[in-house]
Amino acid sequence: MTNHKQIVYQSQLDHKSKLVLRRRTRRRFNPRIFIDRTIETTAIISLLFTGFAGVGATGYWGMEIATSSQHWQHQKKTCLGMMLVSFSGFLGSALIGASFSVHRDKF
């Protein structure tokens, strides 16, 4: 009986030591990766928003022609303004990303 208990205890000890070997190391925060991903995400979101605002502006332009109403003209101008702002956000993020890559490459 005592041998059986020792075998069970030894197998539990081996199981615990295997768990210790499988432990993951903690990732360290890398600001360069964070900045790159933030700039990339900003560029993608601003391009998508530019596209959606352009579709909205085209729709409002069509409604303006069909109904000859000032309301649709106001909505169209709002969408065109949003397109301008989001596209300038894309250009700004692309410029910042390019300047960071040039600074890292030391051209």
Side-chain angles (χ1 to χ4, degrees):
M1 280 289 193
T2 57
N3 289 340
H4 180 67
K5 287 182 180 177
Q6 287 175 350
I7 291 172
V8 170
Y9 179 73
Q10 184 66 33
S11 67
Q12 288 175 351
L13 183 65
D14 289 341
H15 181 66
K16 288 181 181 177
S17 65
K18 288 179 185 176
L19 286 178
V20 171
L21 292 175
R22 293 181 186 168
R23 188 173 58 188
R24 288 186 181 181
T25 58
R26 187 170 179 213
R27 283 187 171 177
R28 298 181 75 185
F29 177 72
N30 190 349
R32 181 180 294 169
I33 292 174
F34 176 74
I35 290 171
D36 286 344
R37 287 186 181 167
T38 303
I39 290 172
E40 180 181 346
T41 303
T42 304
I44 290 171
I45 289 172
S46 62
L47 274 180
L48 285 173
F49 192 74
T50 301
F52 287 127
V55 169
T58 305
Y60 288 131
W61 179 60
M63 291 302 290
E64 179 189 353
I65 291 173
T67 61
S68 299
S69 173
Q70 294 293 325
H71 174 71
W72 299 113
Q73 185 178 13
H74 176 68
Q75 295 292 331
K76 178 185 74 171
K77 288 180 181 180
T78 302
C79 281
L80 289 173
M82 289 188 303
M83 279 178 58
L84 180 65
V85 168
S86 61
F87 189 67
S88 64
F90 166 71
L91 291 178
S93 64
L95 180 65
I96 291 171
S99 66
F100 278 152
S101 67
V102 166
H103 185 264
R104 260 188 247 131
D105 294 337
K106 299 190 191 264
F107 279 114

